[in-house]
């Protein structure tokens, strides 16, 4: 059996029944540890297309744990596979660039308080 998929199902059902449950935090942490241990994308299951909007709040919660939920549609178009990935640090397009500022007038100095 796919243990991370079972944890995700438990998390999803707990999320829908009681958003304030303490169990949500522990399930989210467990799911994060399972995805991190796999060091690759994990398929968490197949959902109906109508269930996709119900994942939005959970997506934001898991973002705080460093997980990204992705979906891929089946060829038949009747379902969505849900995958979890660990967020990777992305390079900024401005990484390593510098801005040099030239002042035409001398900078003003502010008196210090005594």
């Amino acid at each position: 059996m796919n243990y991370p998929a079972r944890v995700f199902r438990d998390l999803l059902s707990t999320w829908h029944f009681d958003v304030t449950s303490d169990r949500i935090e522990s399930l989210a942490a467990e799911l994060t540890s399972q995805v991190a241990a796999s060091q690759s994308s994990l398929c968490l299951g197949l959902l109906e297309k109508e269930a996709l909007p119900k994942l939005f709040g959970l997506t934001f919660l898991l973002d705080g744990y460093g997980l990204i939920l992705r979906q891929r549609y089946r060829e038949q178009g009747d379902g969505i596979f849900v995958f979890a990935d660990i967020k990777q640090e992305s390079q900024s397009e401005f990484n390593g660039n510098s801005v040099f500022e030239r002042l035409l007038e001398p900078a003003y100095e502010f008196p210090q308080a005594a």
Side-chain angles (χ1 to χ4, degrees):
M1 169 159 254
N2 185 347
Y3 179 69
R6 187 169 58 100
V7 172
F8 178 70
R9 278 195 312 272
D10 290 346
L11 176 59
L12 189 58
S13 65
T14 304
W15 178 262
H16 288 299
F17 290 116
D18 184 12
V19 167
T20 61
S21 173
D22 294 334
R23 193 163 177 242
I24 289 175
E25 299 294 325
S26 63
L27 288 169
E30 178 64 22
L31 182 61
T32 303
S33 71
Q34 291 296 314
V35 175
S38 74
Q39 298 180 353
S40 65
S41 268
L42 281 181
C43 182
L44 300 177
L46 178 65
L47 299 175
E48 295 177 357
K49 279 201 271 188
E50 294 78 28
L52 188 61
K54 296 177 184 177
L55 290 179
F56 289 138
L58 188 59
T59 301
F60 290 117
L61 171 81
L62 292 176
D63 184 60
Y65 283 87
L67 284 183
I68 297 173
L69 290 183
R70 302 184 193 279
Q71 75 269 359
R72 294 192 180 102
Y73 291 93
R74 290 182 67 192
E75 285 182 19
Q76 297 88 344
D78 58 348
I80 299 168
F81 286 103
V82 177
F83 290 85
D85 294 308
I86 295 290
K87 284 196 298 188
Q88 301 294 321
E89 185 176 325
S90 60
Q91 288 285 337
S92 168
E93 63 181 274
F94 301 108
N95 191 20
N97 293 331
S98 301
V99 174
F100 297 99
E101 182 177 356
R102 279 191 247 172
L103 297 175
L104 298 177
E105 298 178 17
Y108 295 103
E109 291 185 22
F110 296 101
Q112 294 181 354

